Amino acid sequence: MKRSIFPRLAHSPEAGRPRTWRVLAARIAVLACLWALPITTPAPALAAITVTGKTSSTIKAYVKPLEFIAVTNELGGWQDNLEMQQLGAWNTPYEVALRLRVTSLPNKFQVRLDAPLVLQNAKNQVFRQPVVTLAPEGGAPKPLLVGQSAEFENPAPSVEGTNSVGMYALKVAALPPEGDFRDVAGTYQGVLSMTFEPVAIKP
């Protein structure tokens, strides 16, 4: 799910032929013997067969649930826009954080960036060294990268085989463009595109 800020032929050991050849040859030999029988050979009598005992069965099947994942903000919706702020001195990074709720089956999932985060203005000036991280609640953050998935694990659900839920902190940080403040001031925009996907359980 994407979010933008998704029979071999066995060979006979003795003859060196494919086994299918041996089966065909056997059938031809049997037919030849039947054809060689005299016409006066009496036909076999047909006997009535009665089946007794158990004549029905009960079949039970277990359907394994498919993988599932859903990502929302902590209130169950989604955040279309994030506004970064510079909380320190003029040369410190701009930052923004968003609390995410991840519902997943199974409870393990992985995340990666679909493309590098580029924050730029109308003059194509760009923010430097953008960093995107995701951290489980109370855990250490992991960097999110392009082409390399970071794995996470929700707390195990109380009932095995049901959806798991975990809370995570998504953070974005980047340094402002180099240059005089008057030259780089303005509005910068970008798209944060990520893929969340469940990690399939090996059979």
Side-chain angles (χ1 to χ4, degrees):
M1 185 180 90
K2 294 185 178 180
R3 283 290 187 182
S4 294
I5 307 229
F6 240 75
R8 299 178 177 172
L9 284 179
H11 287 72
S12 170
E14 64 276 9
R17 297 178 179 177
R19 184 165 297 172
T20 49
W21 286 22
R22 294 184 62 206
V23 171
L24 289 175
R27 289 178 179 171
I28 292 172
V30 170
L31 289 175
C33 290
L34 290 175
W35 294 336
L37 292 176
I39 297 174
T40 58
T41 300
L46 299 177
I49 299 176
T50 302
V51 178
T52 61
K54 185 177 180 181
T55 58
S56 63
S57 298
T58 300
I59 300 175
K60 296 182 179 180
Y62 172 73
V63 179
K64 181 181 178 181
L66 297 176
E67 289 84 4
F68 169 82
I69 193 165
V71 184
T72 66
N73 61 22
E74 61 181 329
L75 300 178
W78 188 248
Q79 205 79 17
D80 291 324
N81 297 290
L82 297 174
E83 183 177 347
M84 302 179 70
Q85 295 182 347
Q86 190 178 42
L87 303 178
W90 65 271
N91 58 347
T92 59
Y94 280 72
E95 298 177 322
V96 67
L98 177 64
R99 198 160 181 251
L100 299 180
R101 175 188 175 99
V102 180
T103 304
S104 178
L105 176 68
N107 63 327
K108 288 185 179 180
F109 64 95
Q110 56 191 16
V111 189
R112 66 179 181 272
L113 293 184
D114 296 327
L117 175 61
V118 178
L119 300 168
Q120 63 182 19
N121 61 10
K123 297 184 291 184
N124 292 326
Q125 295 171 312
V126 297
F127 267 64
R128 298 173 293 133
Q129 303 174 25
V131 176
V132 183
T133 62
L134 186 66
E137 194 167 52
K142 295 182 181 181
L144 301 185
L145 306 172
V146 178
Q148 182 177 338
S149 296
E151 190 169 301
F152 299 87
E153 185 172 355
N154 280 349
S158 56
V159 179
E160 185 178 358
T162 60
N163 293 344
S164 62
V165 179
M167 302 303 298
Y168 296 83
L170 175 68
K171 291 186 179 181
V172 181
L175 291 169
E178 292 182 330
D180 186 271
F181 177 78
R182 291 169 296 182
D183 297 330
V184 299
T187 300
Y188 291 73
Q189 295 180 333
V191 175
L192 177 60
S193 181
M194 303 174 292
T195 293
F196 290 73
E197 56 188 358
V199 176
I201 299 176
K202 294 182 180 180

